[in-house]
């Protein structure tokens, strides 16, 4: 017998990115390849939460792609899928403000997401 229950992860998001995910306009989430995310895979569910609040938004993981750095990720995924309200350069600066070089050196993950029916 196989377990077909999707794994649910809870991750924090800043308000500006949470709102884009909730609206369905942000389809790629960017994360550093931390050890706890190495087994994240298509079919998993992420419950995004605005830190310190009860606001959540559930998404299905459609695909996880690893990149060596954030520049390669932005080029491979297209900036408009990550944040349609900012230029590529603004996004690169914003991502690097969140994740310093030591974190980026772990690798970058592009997580393709889709809002669930039961947000």
């Amino acid at each position: 017998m196989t377990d077909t229950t999707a794994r649910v992860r809870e991750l924090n998001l800043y308000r500006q990115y949470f709102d884009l995910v909730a609206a369905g306009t942000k389809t790629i989430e960017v994360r550093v390849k931390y050890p706890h995310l190495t087994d994240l895979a298509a079919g998993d569910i992420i419950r995004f939460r605005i830190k310190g609040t009860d606001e959540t938004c559930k998404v299905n993981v459609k695909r996880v792609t690893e990149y060596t750095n954030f520049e390669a990720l932005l080029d491979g995924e297209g900036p408009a899928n990550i944040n349609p309200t900012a230029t590529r350069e603004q996004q690169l600066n914003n991502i690097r403000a969140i994740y310093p070089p030591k974190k980026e050196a772990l690798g970058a993950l592009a997580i393709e997401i889709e809002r669930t029916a039961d947000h």
Side-chain angles (χ1 to χ4, degrees), residues 11 13 16-18 20-22 24-31 40 46 48 59-67 70 72-84 91 95 108-115:
L11 300 174
L13 260 184
Q16 68 191 54
Y17 304 118
F18 180 92
L20 294 171
V21 169
T25 56
K26 177 178 174 59
T27 59
I28 301 291
E29 171 61 8
V30 175
R31 294 285 164 146
L40 186 67
I46 297 173
F48 287 116
V59 298
N60 291 317
V61 175
K62 295 175 67 178
R63 168 181 61 86
V64 179
T65 304
E66 185 177 345
Y67 291 90
F70 297 131
L73 186 150
L74 284 165
D75 291 343
E77 300 295 332
N81 295 317
I82 298 162
N83 182 350
Q91 290 184 54
I95 293 167
L109 296 177
I111 307 165
E112 185 177 1
I113 56 175
E114 179 178 62
R115 288 292 310 268

Side-chain angles (χ1 to χ4, degrees), residues 38-98:
T38 56
D39 64 343
L40 186 67
D44 288 348
I45 294 171
I46 297 173
R47 182 182 302 114
F48 287 116
R49 176 180 302 279
I50 299 173
K51 194 172 188 171
T53 76
D54 290 332
E55 287 185 75
T56 62
C57 174
K58 281 172 58 177
V59 298
N60 291 317
V61 175
K62 295 175 67 178
R63 168 181 61 86
V64 179
T65 304
E66 185 177 345
Y67 291 90
T68 55
N69 58 45
F70 297 131
E71 287 191 49
L73 186 150
L74 284 165
D75 291 343
E77 300 295 332
N81 295 317
I82 298 162
N83 182 350
T85 67
T87 67
R88 179 188 183 282
E89 203 56 40
Q90 289 170 326
Q91 290 184 54
L92 188 58
N93 290 335
N94 292 342
I95 293 167
R96 286 185 169 152
I98 296 168

